[in-house]
Amino acid sequence: MSKKISKKRKQKRAIKNDGLLLAMLLSTVSILAVALKDYSFYLGGLQITFAVFVIPIILFVSNYITKKYGFKTSLQSILVSSLIIVAFIILIKDLVNQKIILIELVGHFVSYFVSLFINLSIYYYILINFRENQFLIYFDYIFSIVIHHMLYLLFLYHMVITDRFWNHYFGAIAIQGILAIALVMIDKKIERGIKKEKAR
Protein backbone atom coordinates (compact mmCIF):
# COMPACT_ATOMS: atom_id res chain seq x y z
CA MET A 1 0.00 0.00 0.00
CA SER A 2 2.79 2.39 0.94
CA LYS A 3 4.55 1.61 -2.34
CA LYS A 4 1.42 2.57 -4.29
CA ILE A 5 1.12 5.84 -2.34
CA SER A 6 4.80 6.57 -2.94
CA LYS A 7 4.41 5.82 -6.64
CA LYS A 8 1.39 8.16 -6.89
CA ARG A 9 3.32 10.91 -5.13
CA LYS A 10 6.21 10.51 -7.55
CA GLN A 11 3.83 10.63 -10.49
CA LYS A 12 2.18 13.79 -9.15
CA ARG A 13 5.60 15.36 -8.58
CA ALA A 14 6.69 14.43 -12.10
CA ILE A 15 3.48 15.88 -13.58
CA LYS A 16 3.97 19.06 -11.55
CA ASN A 17 7.58 19.42 -12.75
CA ASP A 18 6.62 18.70 -16.36
CA GLY A 19 3.75 21.15 -16.08
CA LEU A 20 6.14 23.87 -14.85
CA LEU A 21 8.53 23.23 -17.73
CA LEU A 22 5.69 23.32 -20.24
CA ALA A 23 4.42 26.55 -18.66
CA MET A 24 7.86 28.04 -19.27
CA LEU A 25 7.74 26.80 -22.88
CA LEU A 26 4.30 28.34 -23.32
CA SER A 27 5.60 31.59 -21.81
CA THR A 28 8.61 31.63 -24.14
CA VAL A 29 6.48 31.14 -27.25
CA SER A 30 4.02 33.78 -26.02
CA ILE A 31 6.82 36.29 -25.38
CA LEU A 32 8.00 35.61 -28.94
CA ALA A 33 4.52 36.55 -30.18
CA VAL A 34 4.65 39.82 -28.20
CA ALA A 35 8.14 40.57 -29.53
CA LEU A 36 7.11 39.93 -33.16
CA LYS A 37 3.92 42.02 -33.11
CA ASP A 38 5.89 45.13 -34.16
CA TYR A 39 7.47 43.38 -37.16
CA SER A 40 5.43 42.85 -40.29
CA PHE A 41 5.55 41.67 -43.88
CA TYR A 42 3.47 42.40 -46.96
CA LEU A 43 1.24 39.81 -48.59
CA GLY A 44 -0.88 40.87 -51.54
CA GLY A 45 -0.65 44.48 -50.44
CA LEU A 46 -1.62 43.62 -46.84
CA GLN A 47 0.70 44.45 -43.96
CA ILE A 48 0.59 41.49 -41.57
CA THR A 49 2.54 41.06 -38.34
CA PHE A 50 4.85 38.06 -37.94
CA ALA A 51 3.04 37.26 -34.67
CA VAL A 52 0.28 35.58 -36.74
CA PHE A 53 2.56 32.56 -37.15
CA VAL A 54 3.12 32.21 -33.41
CA ILE A 55 -0.45 32.44 -32.06
CA PRO A 56 -1.58 29.02 -33.48
CA ILE A 57 1.59 27.49 -32.01
CA ILE A 58 0.66 28.92 -28.60
CA LEU A 59 -2.73 27.20 -28.91
CA PHE A 60 -1.00 23.98 -30.00
CA VAL A 61 1.33 23.98 -26.96
CA SER A 62 -1.67 24.61 -24.70
CA ASN A 63 -3.53 21.72 -26.34
CA TYR A 64 -0.49 19.47 -25.95
CA ILE A 65 -0.37 20.18 -22.22
CA THR A 66 -4.11 19.49 -21.98
CA LYS A 67 -3.86 16.23 -23.88
CA LYS A 68 -0.89 14.91 -21.92
CA TYR A 69 -1.53 16.25 -18.42
CA GLY A 70 -5.17 17.30 -18.21
CA PHE A 71 -7.25 20.41 -17.66
CA LYS A 72 -5.80 21.55 -14.32
CA THR A 73 -2.15 21.48 -15.41
CA SER A 74 -2.98 23.27 -18.64
CA LEU A 75 -4.95 25.98 -16.83
CA GLN A 76 -2.07 26.54 -14.42
CA SER A 77 0.35 26.82 -17.36
CA ILE A 78 -1.89 29.36 -19.08
CA LEU A 79 -2.18 31.48 -15.93
CA VAL A 80 1.59 31.40 -15.29
CA SER A 81 2.42 32.31 -18.88
CA SER A 82 -0.18 35.13 -18.85
CA LEU A 83 1.46 36.69 -15.80
CA ILE A 84 4.94 36.24 -17.30
CA ILE A 85 3.84 38.07 -20.46
CA VAL A 86 2.63 41.03 -18.39
CA ALA A 87 5.90 41.03 -16.42
CA PHE A 88 7.89 40.89 -19.67
CA ILE A 89 6.02 43.88 -21.14
CA ILE A 90 6.57 45.90 -17.94
CA LEU A 91 10.29 45.03 -17.98
CA ILE A 92 10.77 46.00 -21.63
CA LYS A 93 8.91 49.29 -21.22
CA ASP A 94 10.99 50.09 -18.15
CA LEU A 95 14.23 49.33 -20.00
CA VAL A 96 13.37 51.65 -22.89
CA ASN A 97 11.84 54.29 -20.59
CA GLN A 98 8.36 54.01 -22.06
CA LYS A 99 5.25 54.80 -20.09
CA ILE A 100 3.46 51.74 -18.73
CA ILE A 101 -0.20 51.89 -19.77
CA LEU A 102 -2.55 49.86 -17.59
CA ILE A 103 -5.13 49.23 -20.33
CA GLU A 104 -2.38 47.80 -22.55
CA LEU A 105 -1.29 45.36 -19.84
CA VAL A 106 -4.89 44.38 -19.20
CA GLY A 107 -5.42 43.95 -22.94
CA HIS A 108 -2.49 41.59 -23.32
CA PHE A 109 -3.51 39.59 -20.27
CA VAL A 110 -7.21 39.35 -21.14
CA SER A 111 -6.79 38.63 -24.88
CA TYR A 112 -4.18 35.97 -24.12
CA PHE A 113 -5.75 34.33 -21.07
CA VAL A 114 -9.39 34.38 -22.21
CA SER A 115 -8.65 33.05 -25.72
CA LEU A 116 -6.46 30.27 -24.30
CA PHE A 117 -9.00 29.43 -21.61
CA ILE A 118 -11.75 29.15 -24.23
CA ASN A 119 -9.47 27.00 -26.37
CA LEU A 120 -8.61 24.83 -23.35
CA SER A 121 -12.25 24.34 -22.33
CA ILE A 122 -13.46 23.42 -25.82
CA TYR A 123 -10.45 21.22 -26.56
CA TYR A 124 -10.80 19.31 -23.29
CA TYR A 125 -14.51 18.80 -23.92
CA ILE A 126 -13.74 17.44 -27.40
CA LEU A 127 -11.13 15.03 -26.01
CA ILE A 128 -13.52 13.64 -23.43
CA ASN A 129 -16.71 13.48 -25.50
CA PHE A 130 -15.85 13.32 -29.21
CA ARG A 131 -12.78 11.07 -29.45
CA GLU A 132 -10.47 13.82 -30.69
CA ASN A 133 -12.62 14.78 -33.69
CA GLN A 134 -10.24 16.67 -36.00
CA PHE A 135 -12.89 18.91 -37.52
CA LEU A 136 -14.03 20.07 -34.07
CA ILE A 137 -10.43 20.62 -32.96
CA TYR A 138 -9.81 22.73 -36.06
CA PHE A 139 -12.97 24.73 -35.31
CA ASP A 140 -11.64 25.23 -31.79
CA TYR A 141 -8.41 26.71 -33.22
CA ILE A 142 -10.29 29.12 -35.49
CA PHE A 143 -12.79 30.17 -32.83
CA SER A 144 -10.01 30.81 -30.27
CA ILE A 145 -8.01 32.81 -32.82
CA VAL A 146 -11.04 34.97 -33.66
CA ILE A 147 -11.70 35.60 -29.94
CA HIS A 148 -8.04 36.53 -29.42
CA HIS A 149 -8.12 39.07 -32.27
CA MET A 150 -11.41 40.60 -31.15
CA LEU A 151 -10.22 41.05 -27.55
CA TYR A 152 -6.93 42.46 -28.79
CA LEU A 153 -8.88 44.94 -30.92
CA LEU A 154 -11.14 45.90 -28.03
CA PHE A 155 -8.40 46.57 -25.47
CA LEU A 156 -5.34 47.58 -27.48
CA TYR A 157 -6.90 49.40 -30.42
CA HIS A 158 -9.95 50.76 -28.58
CA MET A 159 -12.16 49.55 -31.44
CA VAL A 160 -10.51 52.02 -33.84
CA ILE A 161 -10.91 50.45 -37.29
CA THR A 162 -8.96 51.79 -40.25
CA ASP A 163 -10.05 51.54 -43.91
CA ARG A 164 -8.05 48.34 -44.50
CA PHE A 165 -8.51 46.83 -41.06
CA TRP A 166 -10.84 44.01 -42.11
CA ASN A 167 -8.52 43.03 -44.96
CA HIS A 168 -5.68 42.67 -42.46
CA TYR A 169 -7.95 40.96 -39.96
CA PHE A 170 -9.22 38.24 -42.30
CA GLY A 171 -5.81 37.92 -43.96
CA ALA A 172 -4.24 37.13 -40.58
CA ILE A 173 -6.98 34.63 -39.71
CA ALA A 174 -6.60 32.93 -43.12
CA ILE A 175 -2.85 32.46 -42.56
CA GLN A 176 -3.43 31.14 -39.05
CA GLY A 177 -6.20 28.86 -40.33
CA ILE A 178 -3.83 27.28 -42.85
CA LEU A 179 -1.18 26.79 -40.16
CA ALA A 180 -3.82 25.31 -37.85
CA ILE A 181 -4.53 22.53 -40.38
CA ALA A 182 -0.93 21.29 -40.02
CA LEU A 183 -1.09 21.59 -36.23
CA VAL A 184 -4.30 19.52 -36.10
CA MET A 185 -2.54 16.80 -38.09
CA ILE A 186 0.36 16.82 -35.62
CA ASP A 187 -2.09 16.85 -32.71
CA LYS A 188 -3.65 13.62 -33.99
CA LYS A 189 -0.30 11.82 -33.58
CA ILE A 190 0.23 12.89 -29.97
CA GLU A 191 -0.42 10.08 -27.53
CA ARG A 192 -3.22 10.95 -25.15
CA GLY A 193 -2.38 10.97 -21.44
CA ILE A 194 -5.80 11.70 -19.88
CA LYS A 195 -7.80 8.65 -20.97
CA LYS A 196 -8.64 7.67 -17.40
CA GLU A 197 -10.24 11.03 -16.62
CA LYS A 198 -13.39 10.10 -18.53
CA ALA A 199 -14.12 7.23 -16.18
CA ARG A 200 -13.77 9.34 -13.02
Side-chain angles (χ1 to χ4, degrees):
M1 189 70 176
S2 60
K3 288 184 178 180
K4 286 184 179 181
I5 294 172
S6 178
K7 187 177 180 181
K8 285 183 179 180
R9 285 178 179 172
K10 287 181 180 179
Q11 287 176 342
K12 285 183 179 180
R13 194 178 298 117
I15 289 173
K16 187 176 180 180
N17 292 337
D18 289 347
L20 182 61
L21 289 174
L22 288 167
M24 293 302 103
L25 173 61
L26 191 59
S27 302
T28 302
V29 178
S30 302
I31 287 172
L32 178 61
V34 173
L36 290 176
K37 71 180 179 64
D38 294 325
Y39 299 91
S40 57
F41 64 98
Y42 286 89
L43 181 66
L46 299 177
Q47 186 178 6
I48 300 175
T49 174
F50 279 102
V52 298
F53 296 108
V54 185
I55 293 170
I57 296 174
I58 293 172
L59 295 172
F60 173 79
V61 174
S62 173
N63 289 348
Y64 176 84
I65 299 171
T66 306
K67 194 170 188 178
K68 296 296 288 185
Y69 300 102
F71 187 93
K72 184 179 178 181
T73 302
S74 185
L75 181 59
Q76 290 172 343
S77 299
I78 291 170
L79 180 59
V80 168
S81 57
S82 299
L83 296 173
I84 288 176
I85 285 175
V86 172
F88 173 77
I89 294 171
I90 293 172
L91 175 64
I92 293 300
K93 285 189 173 292
D94 184 59
L95 288 174
V96 298
N97 293 319
Q98 286 186 359
K99 185 179 179 181
I100 297 172
I101 304 171
L102 181 60
I103 190 67
E104 182 181 350
L105 297 178
V106 172
H108 279 289
F109 180 86
V110 171
S111 61
Y112 178 84
F113 181 81
V114 171
S115 59
L116 279 184
F117 179 75
I118 289 172
N119 172 73
L120 162 64
S121 301
I122 297 173
Y123 183 77
Y124 186 76
Y125 185 81
I126 292 169
L127 287 183
I128 299 301
N129 296 284
F130 293 99
R131 298 182 180 179
E132 306 171 42
N133 183 289
Q134 288 181 281
F135 174 78
L136 292 177
I137 291 174
Y138 180 75
F139 172 79
D140 180 29
Y141 270 96
I142 299 302
F143 184 69
S144 301
I145 288 168
V146 168
I147 293 296
H148 174 83
H149 282 297
M150 292 306 294
L151 289 172
Y152 200 85
L153 169 66
L154 177 64
F155 282 94
L156 300 180
Y157 288 95
H158 311 292
M159 296 303 290
V160 175
I161 300 176
T162 60
D163 292 339
R164 304 201 68 188
F165 170 80
W166 291 112
N167 292 334
H168 297 151
Y169 180 83
F170 288 113
I173 290 177
I175 292 171
Q176 291 170 329
I178 292 169
L179 182 56
I181 294 173
L183 295 175
V184 170
M185 295 296 107
I186 297 171
D187 182 280
K188 184 181 178 182
K189 298 180 180 180
I190 297 172
E191 184 180 349
R192 188 171 164 187
I194 61 169
K195 290 180 181 179
K196 293 182 180 179
E197 290 189 7
K198 186 176 180 180
R200 290 177 185 176

